[in-house]
């Protein structure tokens, strides 16, 4: 029996716990100082930008591809096991391209994706208008890039389902418990320690005398509701343009976001109301009906971004082969969670 401790139960920690729960030779316990999905996971929009990303090779693409493939089986698997409904939009992502966009790079990417077995379509303005009558496709929009195999998922519902399924398989969850990595390592109770605590990972690794520098980037978003249905009810992809996402939900509701706000001089980040207003204004310029929407909620969260190195960090802690890091996913935690869990499982079982 291999005893495994996981610190952190956002989407990454929960995914790892569920992945490991399938192996009876592993005894897994998860610690978090708060309930699941209350950190950056609970603030995420859950937009899975894999095929439409410009990553085409190396680790970054491999993680994206592996996760996209796994999501197609993971969601129905979790729903069957737990009886929970996980909102999962399989109608793709439509990116609107403005003036000045180099469409030749998208043509090249579409060719690469075809060779990799994925689809990416270039639409002219009329095709965008025909499929999306609710959008304002003015002279500033020159084309659309449609990615039918990218997805969007509700991160909180997914995380809670992962916890439920893992618990059914014998994983123990200890919420409201703050632990130090050094205390766990010194206790001798566990053979392996996995640090997936997002921004808290820096503190945990520092307690093990090996600081992994992860810093916050704040993101704000809005939850909106319209009185009447919008657009084509049979075609409701995520709309994105200039890094602003319009995410369709049920009941004429939408998520709109998100800002990208860095700390000044290394200090704390205060949510900038002006930046959120600009995101909303951009969303309205793309979809004018959103101007009439009721704002149900505004929220923000801190994304964990590695300092001076690529995201994410999935590796053995330098100098300590018993400790694994799975953190610093920045804006792609939900997208890369299944592949991260698989990587950690392989590292432990090998």
């Amino acid at each position: 029996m291999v005893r495994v401790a996981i610190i952190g139960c956002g989407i990454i920690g929960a995914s790892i716990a569920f992945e490991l729960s399938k192996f009876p030779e592993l005894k897994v316990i998860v610690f978090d100082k708060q309930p699941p999905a209350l950190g950056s996971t609970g603030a995420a929009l859950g937009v899975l930008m894999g095929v439409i990303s410009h990553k085409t090779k190396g680790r970054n693409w491999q993680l994206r591809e592996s996760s996209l493939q796994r999501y197609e089986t993971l969601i129905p698997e979790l729903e069957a096991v737990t009886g929970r409904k996980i909102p999962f939009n399989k109608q793709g992502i439509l990116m609107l391209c403005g003036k000045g966009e180099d469409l030749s790079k998208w043509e090249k990417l579409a060719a690469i994706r075809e060779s990799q077995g994925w689809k990416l379509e270039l639409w002219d303005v009329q095709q965008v208008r025909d499929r999306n009558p609710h959008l304002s496709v003015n002279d500033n929009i020159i084309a659309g890039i449609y990615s039918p195999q990218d997805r969007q998922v509700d991160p909180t519902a997914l995380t809670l389902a992962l916890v439920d399924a893992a618990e059914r398989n014998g994983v123990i969850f200890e919420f409201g418990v703050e632990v130090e990595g050094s205390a766990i390592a010194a206790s001798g109770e566990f053979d392996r320690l996995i640090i997936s605590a997002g921004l808290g990972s820096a503190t945990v690794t520092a307690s093990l005398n090996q600081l992994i520098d992860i810093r916050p980037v704040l993101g704000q978003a809005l939850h909106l509701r319209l009185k009447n249905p919008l657009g084509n009810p049979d075609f409701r992809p995520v709309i994105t343009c200039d890094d602003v996402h319009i995410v369709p939900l049920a009941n004429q509701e939408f998520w709109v976001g998100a800002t990208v706000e860095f700390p000044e001089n290394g200090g704390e980040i205060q949510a900038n109301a002006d930046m959120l207003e600009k995101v909303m204004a951009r969303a309205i310029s793309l979809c004018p009906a959103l101007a009439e929407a009721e704002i149900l909620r505004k929220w923000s969260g801190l994304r964990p971004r590695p300092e001076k190195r690529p995201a994410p960090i999935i590796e053995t802690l330098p100098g300590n082969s018993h400790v694994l890091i799975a953190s610093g996913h920045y804006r792609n935690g939900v997208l890369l969670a299944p592949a991260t869990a698989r990587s950690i499982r392989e590292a432990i079982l090998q």
Side-chain angles (χ1 to χ4, degrees):
M1 182 72 70
V2 178
R3 302 160 300 172
V4 180
I6 301 172
I7 300 179
C9 194
I11 184 65
I12 301 300
S15 295
I16 294 169
F18 176 62
E19 182 73 20
L20 298 185
S21 75
K22 299 177 181 182
F23 298 88
E25 66 268 34
L26 303 178
K27 182 178 181 181
V28 181
I29 183 167
V30 182
F31 300 98
D32 202 312
K33 62 182 178 181
Q34 57 188 359
L38 287 191
S40 57
T41 296
L45 298 180
V47 181
L48 311 180
M49 302 184 74
V51 179
I52 207 169
S53 79
H54 283 279
K55 306 295 184 182
T56 60
K57 57 185 178 180
R59 185 189 77 146
N60 222 311
W61 166 244
Q62 291 166 4
L63 290 172
R64 279 171 161 79
E65 183 176 42
S66 174
S67 279
L68 285 175
Q69 291 168 338
R70 177 62 175 129
Y71 266 119
E72 298 304 300
T73 58
L74 177 63
I75 301 299
E77 180 182 333
L78 289 171
E79 289 183 334
V81 168
T82 66
R84 294 173 176 266
K85 178 63 179 174
I86 305 169
F88 186 49
N89 188 337
K90 299 179 71 172
Q91 298 198 34
I93 296 174
L94 176 61
M95 178 179 290
L96 304 180
C97 299
K99 284 183 177 179
E101 183 77 24
D102 181 6
L103 296 183
S104 66
K105 71 177 183 180
W106 290 107
E107 292 169 352
K108 292 175 183 175
L109 181 61
I112 292 171
R113 292 295 183 240
E114 184 177 10
S115 72
Q116 295 171 328
W118 297 90
K119 297 178 182 178
L120 201 61
E121 302 173 12
L122 275 67
W123 290 1
D124 61 29
V125 168
Q126 194 57 51
Q127 286 175 294
V128 174
R129 287 194 180 111
D130 290 345
R131 299 294 300 275
N132 305 272
H134 60 297
L135 297 181
S136 174
V137 186
N138 54 34
D139 292 342
N140 292 322
I141 302 299
I142 63 170
I145 312 300
Y146 179 53
S147 180
Q149 293 162 297
D150 280 329
R151 302 286 184 249
Q152 186 273 334
V153 66
D154 184 310
T156 298
L158 173 58
T159 302
L160 295 177
L162 287 163
V163 170
D164 189 347
E167 203 164 32
R168 290 166 189 258
N169 287 345
V171 174
I172 297 171
F173 290 88
E174 296 283 351
F175 297 117
V177 177
E178 190 164 5
V179 295
E180 281 195 357
S182 58
I184 289 181
S187 71
E189 293 182 33
F190 300 98
D191 303 298
R192 306 300 292 269
L193 170 61
I194 301 164
I195 301 172
S196 57
L199 286 168
S201 300
T203 301
V204 177
T205 57
S207 75
L208 293 165
N209 301 313
Q210 190 65 256
L211 173 65
I212 300 295
D213 196 358
I214 298 176
R215 302 191 185 184
V217 179
L218 187 139
Q220 299 182 75
L222 296 148
H223 186 178
L224 311 175
R225 181 169 59 205
L226 288 166
K227 291 182 179 179
N228 301 307
L230 185 64
N232 180 353
D234 297 321
F235 184 64
R236 305 183 75 234
V238 172
I239 304 298
T240 184
C241 183
D242 298 332
D243 212 20
V244 172
H245 303 314
I246 302 173
V247 179
L249 309 171
N251 305 316
Q252 286 86 252
E253 295 179 14
F254 295 83
W255 286 337
V256 169
T259 64
V260 180
E261 304 173 47
F262 293 89
E264 294 184 9
N265 303 318
E268 292 188 5
I269 315 173
Q270 298 296 324
N272 186 321
D274 290 340
M275 292 185 72
L276 186 58
E277 285 183 13
K278 288 178 181 177
V279 166
M280 184 59 186
R282 183 57 176 144
I284 291 171
S285 74
L286 299 170
C287 181
L290 293 180
E292 306 299 321
E294 174 190 3
I295 297 177
L296 300 179
R297 179 171 69 111
K298 297 180 181 179
W299 79 90
S300 65
L302 297 173
R303 310 166 178 121
R305 180 175 182 266
E307 181 70 5
K308 298 180 180 178
R309 60 179 299 180
I313 302 172
I314 308 171
E315 64 187 29
T316 301
L317 184 69
N320 194 329
S321 61
H322 297 288
V323 181
L324 294 164
I325 311 295
S327 194
H329 288 69
Y330 189 28
R331 303 178 71 185
N332 289 309
V334 182
L335 169 61
L336 301 182
T340 300
R342 181 173 294 179
S343 296
I344 293 299
R345 180 252 293 165
E346 290 171 352
I348 287 178
L349 293 182
Q350 72 182 5

